[in-house]
Amino acid sequence: QHFLPVNMKPSDTGDDWTHTVIPLGVGVEGLDISPDFSEAWTADLQGNIYIVDIKKGTLAAKLNAGLIGGHRLAFAEGGKYVALVSILANDGTPDNSKPEQMGRLQVWASATRTKVGDIRIGCQVAGMLADNVEHRVFVSCTPQDVVRVVKIDPSTGTPSVGPDLNIGGRPDALTFSVR
């Protein structure tokens, strides 16, 4: 039995949620929701992207990204692009002795569902956060103790690796804060 605190409605506690299980690939982990709340994008470890229609609760599309180990996504540029990262090397195998060969980042045009960029970022990615104001994606590289900055060209979606933020302390999940 579930009791609501005084003056709370079911929508305040999530009691009005509808949960729908949608079978996807093995190792589906991270996801992001489009700014208009119409789609959820996620990826599996085998290199597929899954796009779920939130309103219908169904799989809208499955894309072959070819990015083995893909596990984090972020909508960028107000939903125009989706960045997807992998923690593995290009051939899908981890090699911790060569971190510069680790990790790739792809950029997809969300409207056309086409890949517009694919670069090696040289680290094992744990978390990702898009900054729509400065046209960049922050990527936490946990074993390397840095947050890598990847610029996203707002007109083409082309990614380029920028400077690192040397923060130490094994960064993981990222969020913005306002002072």
Side-chain angles (χ1 to χ4, degrees):
Q1 189 172 11
H2 179 76
F3 296 99
L4 292 175
V6 177
N7 298 327
M8 290 195 80
K9 302 179 297 287
S11 61
D12 295 330
T13 62
D15 286 347
D16 59 338
W17 292 4
T18 301
H19 302 274
T20 304
V21 176
I22 302 169
L24 302 174
V26 176
V28 170
E29 188 179 314
L31 67 93
D32 202 6
I33 307 295
S34 62
D36 66 0
F37 298 101
S38 65
E39 294 180 336
W41 285 49
T42 189
D44 69 18
L45 297 175
Q46 288 71 43
N48 299 301
I49 295 173
Y50 299 90
I51 303 170
V52 174
D53 181 310
I54 293 174
K55 190 173 269 187
K56 293 178 183 175
T58 59
L59 181 63
K62 177 181 175 183
L63 311 174
N64 180 357
L67 188 62
I68 304 300
H71 71 298
R72 295 287 186 267
L73 298 101
F75 277 89
E77 295 301 313
K80 183 176 180 180
Y81 301 113
V82 177
L84 165 66
V85 292
S86 168
I87 60 171
L88 301 177
N90 209 21
D91 64 356
T93 58
D95 184 352
N96 293 330
S97 67
K98 298 178 183 175
E100 69 281 356
Q101 295 181 13
M102 300 295 287
R104 283 175 52 208
L105 181 139
Q106 290 182 349
V107 178
W108 288 73
S110 60
T112 61
R113 299 178 179 171
T114 56
K115 183 170 44 176
V116 295
D118 189 339
I119 62 170
R120 181 174 304 284
I121 56 174
C123 71
Q124 293 169 289
V125 179
M128 187 167 47
L129 180 65
D131 171 11
N132 293 319
V133 176
E134 296 293 327
H135 317 293
R136 57 192 174 178
V137 175
F138 296 98
V139 178
S140 63
C141 304
T142 304
Q144 291 80 26
D145 290 332
V146 300
V147 173
R148 186 136 299 153
V149 179
V150 179
K151 295 289 250 178
I152 305 291
D153 183 292
S155 60
T156 65
T158 303
S160 60
V161 176
D164 287 345
L165 303 175
N166 295 305
I167 63 166
R170 297 182 57 81
D172 195 339
L174 301 169
T175 190
F176 289 119
S177 174
V178 178
R179 284 180 151 211

